Amino acid sequence: SATIDDKVLVEESEPTRTYFCPRDGCMEKLTSIVANHDDISCALYDLDDEGLEAALKGKKTRVVVDKDNADESLNGWVVYDTSSGYSHNKFCVFDESLVWTGSFNPTPTDDGRNNNAAILIYSKVLAQSYLDEFEELYSGTYGSGETVKVPKFVHNGEVMELYFCPEDKCADQLIRLIDGANESIHFMYFSFTDDAITNAIMA
């Protein structure tokens, strides 16, 4: 349930769940979630798993995948992001109430070899923001859509923030958090080439 408290949206729901791949079997977890929900919207960089594809095809499903990962098995039921930049999204929204996101690509390599993380968040507030972003992608608006409507709210007693790149200027948001750190910063990324973020960490 969500309420307004002093102009801040406050939501209580089931606890968030976090998975680390490959040890936690992220593909199996995601496929199981798909099997237990009906209305599914996914924006993915890549999709390459027969079991997951079969599960998605059996539901009310809409999927966007980056054009560089086009596959004949996806033709006819997947929309391709044809923009010049990567469509690096990795999220699914289930029944307008549950969000799966993180760095995990639903591919055999990511499931069995690469180190990734996935997070499952029970939040209607977050789900609506992700659906807003998905609708832009599904309609062909890439990287130039509206900024997120609810960038910050309280979820299960903790402040949660959400931004989509590039329209929400994600690097600026990260630098703001780095600048506000008092004692420590734990930083793990696949690639790290942004000079402004480097300078913020050094400072």
Side-chain angles (χ1 to χ4, degrees), residues 15-191:
T16 295
R17 299 175 188 175
T18 305
Y19 306 107
F20 294 99
C21 329
R23 76 178 192 207
D24 291 332
C26 291
M27 191 79 77
E28 182 180 357
K29 292 285 192 308
L30 180 56
T31 304
S32 176
I33 296 165
V34 168
N36 287 294
H37 292 83
D38 296 317
D39 193 333
I40 304 167
S41 300
C42 294
L44 305 167
Y45 174 65
D46 197 2
L47 172 59
D48 181 18
D49 182 79
E50 291 183 359
L52 179 58
E53 290 173 25
L56 287 168
K57 287 178 181 178
K59 303 290 182 173
K60 180 184 176 183
T61 303
R62 298 180 299 165
V63 180
V64 177
V65 171
D66 188 84
K67 67 180 184 309
D68 287 351
N69 294 308
D71 187 287
E72 288 186 3
S73 67
L74 306 179
N75 292 344
W77 67 283
V78 166
V79 171
Y80 292 115
D81 180 338
T82 58
S83 61
S84 58
Y86 288 129
S87 183
H88 228 257
N89 297 291
K90 303 170 186 75
F91 69 81
C92 291
V93 182
F94 302 93
D95 294 336
E96 301 181 359
S97 60
L98 181 62
V99 175
W100 167 285
T101 190
S103 60
F104 173 73
N105 285 297
T107 68
T109 300
D110 263 22
D111 189 48
R113 186 177 70 185
N114 293 343
N115 292 315
N116 283 288
I119 187 167
L120 187 65
I121 308 168
Y122 295 82
S123 170
K124 291 184 178 180
V125 176
L126 202 66
Q128 186 57 59
S129 292
Y130 272 93
L131 281 173
D132 289 345
E133 180 71 9
F134 178 84
E135 295 295 348
E136 291 180 354
L137 298 170
Y138 199 72
S139 66
T141 301
Y142 309 121
S144 60
E146 298 292 326
T147 57
V148 67
K149 294 184 179 70
V150 184
K152 183 183 294 188
F153 65 103
V154 176
H155 181 263
N156 290 345
E158 301 288 343
V159 175
M160 182 172 286
E161 298 187 40
L162 169 68
Y163 305 102
F164 294 103
C165 319
E167 57 263 43
D168 288 314
K169 303 185 186 308
C170 295
D172 291 347
Q173 305 299 342
L174 182 55
I175 290 168
R176 171 179 57 82
L177 294 173
I178 293 169
D179 288 345
N182 294 316
E183 296 179 359
S184 63
I185 300 170
H186 297 274
F187 210 83
M188 183 185 296
Y189 279 82
F190 171 69
S191 182

